[in-house]
Amino acid sequence: MPDELSDRFDASRYSEDEEASFSLRLDPRAGRVVPLDLLLSERLLHRLRHLGLAYEMPLLSRLPASGKWFYPEEQIDPLSDEIAFVLRVVDDPLLTATLAELSRILQPRGRSRLGWQLRVEAP
């Protein structure tokens, strides 16, 4: 790989970026639940969105370029499947580390069907 491109895998390159966020929330009627959040560079969010577009994945391709997007509970497991696919085909250590953390957050862990929702917010 040419040296001028290798910095794409260096987390410090993105340290000044605005942050995007993934927030998994439970319907407030279910009681007090600690939200699960993940912050990532805006450019990494765009990288993931473009992969979703390139591989024709309906949920990842909906990641916002700006603003917010909400995934209802019934889309969280299929979104996790799309993330697992990207983890199998991409050799990008920075992106795969972020996706591994997102996969951990999205694991069912006894989720009840009480209205979980994933909010993705881009700057």
Side-chain angles (χ1 to χ4, degrees):
M1 169 187 318
D3 286 339
E4 64 268 11
L5 297 177
S6 64
D7 69 338
R8 304 307 192 273
F9 300 137
D10 182 359
S12 66
R13 178 174 199 247
Y14 305 96
S15 64
E16 299 297 318
D17 282 7
E18 289 193 52
E19 290 183 326
S21 67
F22 285 79
S23 300
L24 188 63
R25 300 278 192 267
L26 186 59
D27 185 314
R29 295 172 295 192
R32 180 165 161 63
V33 174
V34 177
L36 301 168
D37 297 313
L38 174 68
L39 298 176
L40 68 153
S41 156
E42 177 183 19
R43 286 187 282 172
L44 288 178
L45 176 70
H46 293 308
R47 191 180 297 173
L48 183 55
R49 180 177 169 271
H50 287 291
L51 285 168
L53 289 165
Y55 284 105
E56 301 173 357
M57 291 184 274
L59 300 174
L60 284 176
S61 64
R62 292 185 198 153
L63 289 170
S66 63
K68 298 176 189 171
W69 184 260
F70 295 89
Y71 293 95
E73 182 174 46
E74 56 273 359
Q75 291 181 337
I76 293 174
D77 289 337
L79 178 65
S80 294
D81 293 341
E82 290 183 11
I83 289 168
F85 175 82
V86 171
L87 283 168
R88 285 195 321 253
V89 299
V90 173
D91 186 21
D92 176 341
L94 188 56
L95 185 61
T96 55
T98 300
L99 289 177
E101 179 62 16
L102 182 56
S103 292
R104 185 191 65 75
I105 287 171
L106 296 180
Q107 290 303 312
R109 282 200 210 125
R111 263 195 313 226
S112 59
R113 298 290 181 199
L114 296 172
W116 284 95
Q117 182 181 67
L118 178 66
R119 181 184 78 188
V120 182
E121 186 170 355

